[in-house]
Amino acid sequence: GRVMLRALALDDRLDEGALHEFFILFDSARGVDQGGGPKKATEHYKRALELGKNKKLSPHVSLAETVMVDAQNKKEFKRLLAPALAVALS
């Protein structure tokens, strides 16, 4: 975790937000008391989309699989997966 946090501090724009993609998963697995939680994961999701110019599908899938499943938010889960499903079905 420390190495990734340091990398994020050095250049959060690396590979169009790849570090933020990692932190969506990492922070969704950590509690708020550990510096993570759904709010932090969602912040990384938004930054990953911004840096990736909304071209990557993995941030959508990662947030859906973690935060939305934990929250049992079916509507947001489906909304997040829609872009990935559109590619898979085309």
Side-chain angles (χ1 to χ4, degrees):
R2 289 184 194 166
V3 171
M4 295 302 284
L5 285 168
R6 180 68 178 136
L8 190 68
L10 290 172
D11 185 6
D12 83 314
R13 297 169 293 149
L14 182 71
D15 195 20
E16 297 181 322
L19 293 170
H20 290 283
E21 293 178 52
F22 166 82
F23 276 100
I24 295 168
L25 299 170
F26 187 71
D27 281 341
S28 67
R30 298 187 312 153
V32 174
D33 59 324
Q34 297 172 310
K39 183 177 178 185
K40 282 295 265 192
T42 302
E43 290 170 7
H44 287 293
Y45 165 77
K46 290 175 182 176
R47 184 69 173 142
L49 291 182
E50 177 186 340
L51 293 171
K53 299 178 179 106
N54 210 15
K55 295 185 289 185
K56 296 181 178 183
L57 298 174
S58 61
H60 300 293
V61 175
S62 294
L63 195 71
E65 287 181 328
T66 58
V67 174
M68 296 311 148
V69 168
D70 287 347
Q72 294 293 292
N73 188 336
K74 186 176 181 180
K75 181 179 177 183
E76 192 65 7
F77 178 84
K78 286 182 174 183
R79 186 192 71 76
L80 287 166
L81 291 182
L85 289 172
V87 170
L89 297 174
S90 62

